[in-house]
Each structure stands twice: as structure tokens, then as C-alpha cells.
């Protein structure tokens, strides 16, 4: 097998930067394809054209007039518009006004139908364009029906005879669980539910994530640590028996970040650009952030930033347990940007009132403001209960904000705890999911901050680290070749160096 052959890769995703984003999935789909393209592959993306994606702003062109796409007992029309990510990665937008002309991206009662439809349209589109992909790369539950189809209704389709599937788990907690009806919508009702002896409670529902895991030629998740963790009941979200069965095809590949757009030396959204040679300029960004957040401009007070979905997954239950003593006893400021659960909105509104000189709160989704927080904060807080990869800590390091994290998933793979005895480390991390462990880590960070030379070293270490996609994109290419070999019934050659999940503790 020629592993140097350029591949044709179609990526299926529900969101992608710059068109639609609610979290890290969009960052990945907006940046991994560019890196694959640089490696010489023909990579394209397909996603829904949500009503909020402006045809004018993104210069979208219609390339296919409405054509019938099978859906349930009949068909529904899809037109295809084309745009680009970066200069030259084609993005195909599936247009269907009934399904996608709405204000939001998720949380509609017919979400299963909405995501099934764009995936089916993406496959049918390939035939109409005469573009035969080698790889269908599917991201998260919204697209997990594709590997299922490749083993059922498209199994004997000559057009896809040599097409393999890769399924990437960005977050196992969101599985897309529905009733039998969605199998009819997807056209696979005759194959019924999936019975697995160890996931009995899932045998009478349709779990899209489970189907992706069961049917994909190769599976991966977005860090090496998380690939290990999800084999255990603690992190497996009830799918760990399935994952253990499919361990031989489960890999961990750490996400990169888009180092072109996320670059403090050129970022147009921050008050002053800086790099490792002009670190002293960074203070201008801190002062600007303090002003924007209504906090006193105090250059020497450590400023903690957090940018996150406000959910328990991200450790907000831990934060809620220690935030008052932190505000009262530790001389620091805190700026939060996030949206999520109502109780956390109320909690932060209350904190902003109680500590107006210490707490700046933005309960909204605002990407430019996020850049200003990465550039202006001294430390970046991410105490997640679980974290498949996490991008915030990597973006923070690139902008010179030192991460304070819980050692789990991708956070454990990217942040090494600072050890004052050796001077090693690039941040602060703690193991136990426990409020006091978080509090102690924050006290260690704010104490270390007082030693400016040490702190400068920590900042520089983060800024100089390579978080680009280059290495990880190569690992995806390896995974694609493995998928093709599996599909062809060959054994994958030994030279592949992708991290493979093994038995926990092995
Ligand atoms: P997840 O995908 O689980 O939400 P990640 O850390 O992988 O977490 O990615 C989160 C991404 O979303 C980061 O790019 C972060 O900056 C961004 N983000 C999260 N919340 C907000 C917000 N309220 N405003 C702007 N950007 C946000």
C-alpha cells in the first residue's frame, strides 16, 4: 500500500469556525482541514447551512440546485452552497429551509432528523459532484450515522466500495440518544436496535455515539489520556464496554489550535500585539482587560481568567465551593466569560455584585472578548471534571496566560505542574476532583506569581510550545491509512505511530 498517496477526505461536522461555533468542535473542524491540505491531501468539509450563516458575508456560491435526498419514507430537497475555510479548503453547505432556517444550532426536537439529513445529503452530493472520497471523517454524534450507513444501506454501493470511515469522539458525554423513529428517518429501521450484552440500558434506544463507535473503521478521541480514560466506567459514560470491545481500533490524537489566527503577535482583537521578545507589552492588554471588566487597574494583582461553557463538566461546582474564600482571602481578580446553566449565571451575577473590585463577569458568547481575556489574564482556570482535549488551556499558553487545571484528559497531556524544586512545568495542576485541591492550586499559582522571574519563565515556556496542528495532522493521516487498510481487510502496517489505547493500567 502506498502510504504517500494523497487522499480525498470529506469531513462531516455540525459546526466549523468561522461559520458556526459553540465549542471546541468548531475550532477543530475549522483548522485540522487546513493542516491536512498543507500535507497535500484533498480535504473538504460538509455541514448544514444554518440560517445565521450569511451567504453574502462568506461569499457562498450555489453549486448544486435542490435535489431529492432520501429521508424517512420519502425525500426532502437539499441544495449545496460552497464556501471555503482559509484560502482553499472547500466547505459544502447543505441547504434546507425547513430544517436549518432557525436562530440556533442545537436543541431542537427534530435534531436527529436535521443531522441525519445533512449527512445523507453530503453522501449523495459526492455522487452528483463525481468526487469519490477515500475517507469519510465524522465528528461527534451528529454525524455518527455515516459509519452505520456504510455498513448497511451503502454497503454494496460501488461508488463507496473503497471508502473508509473514521469517527472522532470530541465529547463522549453528548451521545445523541433518541427513540426507534429516528431509525426510520435514517432508513435503517430494518436493522433494528443494537444489542450489546454489557450496555443493556442502551439496547432499547438509538444511541448515535454508540453506532459511530460500533461501525467506524477507525475511532479516535482528541487526547491520549482521554482515549485511556473512556475505557473505564468512571469516564466511559456507559459506553465503556463497547469501547473496550473496539479497543484495537481506538486511538488518541491531541487537538492542535489554529496558530495563524490565534497569534498574539498579529491578533487584531487585542489592545497591543506582543511576542516572546516583547513580553513587556503584554501589560497593556491586562490594563485594557481590567478597564473593560470594570476592575481597578492594578498591574501587580494576579488576574485569573476563565472562558467556558458553564457546566459541571468544566468544574464550576468546584469553583462555586471556593470562590468566596478566594475572593476574600487571596489577593486576586477574576474575569469570567461564559454561558450555560442558569444557576451559574445567577452565581456569577451575585459574585459580581458582592466583589465589584475583584470580579468581572460576561455572561455571553463573544470570540473577540475571549482573545482579550487570553491576552490580558495572568492565569487561566480550567478545573474540568473530565476534558477530552480542551483548547482553552492551549490558547491561553500561546497568549502567555499560565494554566491552572485539573489533571484529566487533554489537560493532563498538555499542562505539567510547576515544581519549584526543579523549575520544571508549564502551569499548575491538581489530581483529585476536590474543592480544596483546586484552592491549593490557585494559592500556589498566586504565590508563584509574586516571583516575577519564575513567572516570566512559565509564560515563555507556554508561548514557545508547539500547539500547531502539524504533528497531529500527520497522525490523522496515519489513522486514515489504517482505516483504509481495515476496510480492505488488510492488517495495518506496523510503522504507524498513532497512540493506541490499551487496557487501563496496562
Ligand atoms: P468545549 O468544546 O468542551 O466547550 P474547549 O476548551 O475544547 O471546550 O473549547 C472551547 C472553545 O470555545 C475555546 O475556543 C473557547 O475560547 C471558546 N469559548 C467557550 N466559551 C466561550 C464564550 N462564552 N465566548 C467565546 N468563546 C468561548
Amino acid at each position: 500500500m502506498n502510504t504517500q498517496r494523497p487522499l480525498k477526505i470529506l469531513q462531516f461536522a455540525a459546526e466549523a469556525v468561522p461559520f458556526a461555533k459553540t465549542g471546541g468542535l468548531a475550532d477543530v473542524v475549522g483548522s485540522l482541514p487546513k493542516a491536512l491540505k498543507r500535507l497535500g491531501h484533498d480535504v473538504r468539509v460538509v455541514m448544514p447551512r444554518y440560517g445565521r450563516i450569511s451567504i453574502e458575508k462568506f461569499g457562498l456560491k450555489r453549486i448544486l440546485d435542490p435535489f431529492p435526498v432520501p429521508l424517512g419514507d420519502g425525500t426532502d430537497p437539499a441544495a449545496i452552497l460552497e464556501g471555503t475555510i482559509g484560502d482553499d479548503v472547500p466547505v459544502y453547505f447543505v441547504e434546507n429551509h425547513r430544517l436549518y432556517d432557525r436562530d440556533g444550532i442545537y436543541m431542537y426536537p427534530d435534531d436527529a432528523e436535521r443531522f441525519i439529513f445533512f449527512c445523507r445529503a453530503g453522501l449523495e452530493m459526492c455522487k452528483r459532484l463525481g468526487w469519490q472520497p477515500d475517507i469519510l471523517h465524522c465528528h461527534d454524534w451528529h454525524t455518527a450515522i455515516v459509519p452505520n450507513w456504510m455498513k448497511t444501506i451503502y454497503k454494496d454501493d460501488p461508488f463507496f466500495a473503497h471508502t473508509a470511515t473514521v469517527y472522532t469522539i470530541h465529547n463522549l458525554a453528548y451521545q445523541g440518544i433518541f427513540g426507534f423513529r429516528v431509525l426510520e428517518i435514517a432508513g435503517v429501521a430494518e436493522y433494528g436496535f443494537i444489542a450489546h450484552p454489557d450496555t443493556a440500558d442502551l439496547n432499547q434506544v438509538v444511541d448515535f455515539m454508540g453506532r459511530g463507535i460500533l461501525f467506524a473503521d477507525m475511532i479516535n478521541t482528541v487526547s491520549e489520556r482521554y482515549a485511556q480514560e473512556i475505557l473505564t466506567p468512571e469516564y466511559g459514560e456507559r459506553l465503556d464496554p463497547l469501547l473496550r470491545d473496539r479497543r484495537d481500533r481506538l486511538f488518541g490524537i491531541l487537538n492542535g489550535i489554529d496558530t495563524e489566527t490565534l497569534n498574539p503577535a498579529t491578533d487584531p482583537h487585542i489592545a497591543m500585539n506582543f511576542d516572546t521578545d516583547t513580553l513587556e507589552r503584554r501589560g497593556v492588554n491586562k490594563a485594557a482587560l481590567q478597564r473593560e471588566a470594570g476592575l481597578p487597574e492594578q498591574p501587580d494583582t494576579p488576574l485569573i481568567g476563565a472562558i467556558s461553557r458553564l457546566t459541571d463538566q468544566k468544574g464550576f461546582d468546584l469553583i462555586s465551593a471556593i470562590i468566596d474564600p478566594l475572593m476574600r482571602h487571596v489577593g486576586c481578580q477574576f474575569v469570567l466569560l461564559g454561558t450555560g446553566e442558569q444557576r451559574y449565571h445567577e452565581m456569577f451575577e451575585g459574585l459580581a455584585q458582592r466583589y465589584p473590585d475583584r470580579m468581572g463577569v460576561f455572561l455571553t458568547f463573544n470570540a473577540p472578548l475571549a482573545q482579550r481575556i487570553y491576552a490580558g489574564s495572568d492565569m487561566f482556570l480550567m478545573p474540568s471534571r473530565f476534558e477530552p482535549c480542551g483548547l482553552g488551556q492551549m490558547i491561553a499558553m500561546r497568549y502567555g496566560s499560565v494554566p491552572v487545571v485539573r489533571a484529566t484528559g487533554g489537560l493532563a497531556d498538555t499542562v505539567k505542574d510547576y515544581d519549584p524544586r526543579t523549575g520544571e512545568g508549564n502551569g499548575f495542576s491538581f489530581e483529585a476532583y476536590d474543592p480544596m485541591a483546586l484552592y491549593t492550586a490557585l494559592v500556589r499559582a498566586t504565590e508563584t506569581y509574586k516571583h516575577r522571574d519564575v513567572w516570566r519563565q512559565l509564560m515563555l515556556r507556554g508561548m514557545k510550545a508547539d500547539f500547531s496542528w502539524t504533528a497531529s495532522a500527520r497522525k490523522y493521516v496515519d489513522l486514515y491509512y489504517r482505516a483504509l487498510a481495515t476496510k480492505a481487510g488488510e492488517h495495518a502496517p506496523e510503522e504507524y505511530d498513532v497512540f493506541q489505547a490499551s487496557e487501563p493500567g496496562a
Side-chain angles (χ1 to χ4, degrees):
M1 192 173 61
N2 175 11
T3 56
Q4 300 310 311
R5 174 172 71 95
L7 296 172
K8 293 201 206 79
I9 305 152
L10 184 60
Q11 310 243 352
F12 290 76
E15 50 180 283
V17 166
F19 308 104
K21 166 167 168 171
T22 68
L25 169 64
D27 291 305
V28 172
V29 182
S31 49
L32 169 62
K34 292 200 275 187
L36 292 166
K37 188 96 184 182
R38 281 196 290 274
L39 294 176
H41 301 282
D42 178 1
V43 55
R44 309 181 188 191
V45 177
V46 61
M47 63 183 286
R49 201 217 126 212
Y50 304 110
R52 59 155 76 160
I53 300 177
S54 159
I55 293 178
E56 292 74 35
K57 178 176 167 202
F58 293 111
L60 308 187
K61 304 253 177 327
R62 180 181 276 202
I63 58 159
L64 285 180
D65 286 332
F67 61 92
V69 176
L71 188 70
D73 292 336
T75 65
D76 231 44
I80 304 292
L81 310 185
E82 185 179 339
T84 54
I85 288 176
D87 295 332
D88 52 5
V89 174
V91 184
Y92 299 122
F93 293 93
V94 175
E95 191 167 68
N96 176 301
H97 300 297
R98 178 177 71 87
L99 293 170
Y100 308 126
D101 273 5
R102 305 179 190 179
D103 291 339
I105 299 180
Y106 303 118
M107 305 298 279
Y108 296 100
D110 57 349
D111 273 357
E113 180 177 352
R114 295 170 70 233
F115 296 122
I116 286 169
F117 182 78
F118 99 86
C119 291
R120 191 75 191 258
L123 294 174
E124 293 298 318
M125 168 198 82
C126 290
K127 293 186 177 180
R128 284 171 187 268
L129 296 177
W131 186 73
Q132 210 162 2
D134 299 297
I135 296 292
L136 305 172
H137 185 166
C138 306
H139 296 274
D140 265 353
W141 76 261
H142 326 98
T143 66
I145 191 69
V146 174
N148 191 175
W149 281 334
M150 287 297 135
K151 301 286 193 242
T152 52
I153 55 179
Y154 285 97
K155 187 158 152 275
D156 300 318
D157 188 324
F159 190 84
F160 293 111
H162 304 290
T163 304
T165 55
V166 169
Y167 180 59
T168 299
I169 301 168
H170 293 264
N171 193 334
L172 196 62
Y174 300 95
Q175 297 181 1
I177 295 177
F178 300 89
F180 187 80
R181 169 88 186 111
V182 301
L183 296 184
E184 294 171 344
I185 293 172
V188 293
E190 63 184 287
Y191 303 94
F193 287 122
I194 285 159
H196 187 284
D198 300 323
T199 55
D201 48 347
L202 292 177
N203 293 348
Q204 294 302 313
V205 294
V206 178
D207 182 312
F208 279 102
M209 176 69 75
R211 283 172 184 253
I213 293 166
L214 262 182
F215 292 108
D217 293 309
M218 282 291 151
I219 313 155
N220 81 297
T221 186
V222 289
S223 69
E224 297 185 359
R225 175 75 76 104
Y226 194 60
Q228 293 292 142
E229 288 172 341
I230 58 178
L231 296 174
T232 66
E234 184 185 355
Y235 290 95
E237 303 283 349
R238 298 185 306 170
L239 292 182
D240 48 296
L242 273 191
L243 287 159
R244 286 196 295 275
D245 277 2
R246 304 278 283 173
R247 184 171 38 221
D248 58 336
R249 56 183 77 193
L250 172 63
F251 295 83
I253 302 177
L254 191 72
N255 284 336
I257 56 172
D258 187 336
T259 48
E260 277 168 36
T261 53
L262 297 169
N263 183 356
T266 55
D267 189 331
H269 300 298
I270 64 178
M272 182 166 282
N273 292 118
F274 61 97
D275 60 20
T276 50
D277 294 327
T278 54
L279 203 50
E280 67 287 348
R281 293 190 192 162
R282 198 177 181 278
V284 175
N285 292 300
K286 178 170 176 177
L289 177 61
Q290 286 170 324
R291 278 197 302 279
E292 188 170 0
L295 301 175
E297 275 181 54
Q298 295 169 345
D300 296 326
T301 300
L303 173 52
I304 303 168
I307 302 167
S308 183
R309 292 183 288 117
L310 303 179
T311 65
D312 282 349
Q313 178 206 329
K314 299 292 182 179
F316 282 93
D317 48 343
L318 289 191
I319 293 174
S320 73
I322 57 118
I323 191 78
D324 274 300
L326 187 79
M327 292 286 102
R328 283 201 300 268
H329 304 307
V330 178
C332 64
Q333 295 174 333
F334 195 120
V335 172
L336 170 108
L337 169 62
T339 57
E341 290 173 25
Q342 186 57 29
R343 61 193 165 124
Y344 292 128
H345 282 228
E346 286 162 16
M347 175 180 107
F348 279 107
E349 276 163 358
L351 286 163
Q353 279 174 5
R354 288 206 293 288
Y355 307 104
D357 287 348
R358 293 186 173 277
M359 190 67 147
V361 173
F362 300 92
L363 298 171
T364 163
F365 195 98
N366 183 334
L369 174 56
Q371 313 298 87
R372 294 196 286 277
I373 296 175
Y374 288 121
S377 58
D378 295 302
M379 41 198 93
F380 187 77
L381 182 59
M382 222 164 146
S384 305
R385 186 171 72 76
F386 67 94
E387 194 58 74
C389 175
L391 299 175
Q393 82 281 13
M394 289 192 267
I395 305 171
M397 283 190 266
R398 180 143 174 84
Y399 280 76
S401 187
V402 177
V404 180
V405 306
R406 174 158 178 263
T408 184
L411 295 171
D413 285 352
T414 52
V415 179
K416 298 290 165 247
D417 195 29
Y418 170 64
D419 184 340
R421 295 165 301 182
T422 61
E424 287 168 7
N426 58 1
F428 296 84
S429 78
F430 60 96
E431 296 281 338
Y433 194 73
D434 170 77
M436 271 317 289
L438 167 61
Y439 191 79
T440 309
L442 281 168
V443 169
R444 280 198 295 127
T446 49
E447 282 302 307
T448 308
Y449 176 81
K450 293 175 185 161
H451 304 276
R452 304 315 292 261
D453 48 337
V454 174
W455 197 260
R456 195 181 153 81
Q457 287 309 315
L458 286 173
M459 291 166 77
L460 287 173
R461 216 168 273 163
M463 290 176 75
K464 287 178 179 167
D466 181 6
F467 294 118
S468 74
W469 269 104
T470 313
S472 294
R474 286 208 174 87
K475 293 184 180 181
Y476 271 103
V477 174
D478 286 345
L479 196 66
Y480 297 153
Y481 283 115
R482 273 179 185 261
L484 286 168
T486 303
K487 163 94 182 188
E490 297 170 20
H491 291 293
E494 291 299 317
E495 74 254 26
Y496 295 123
D497 63 349
V498 189
F499 176 86
Q500 187 164 15
S502 56
E503 193 85 67

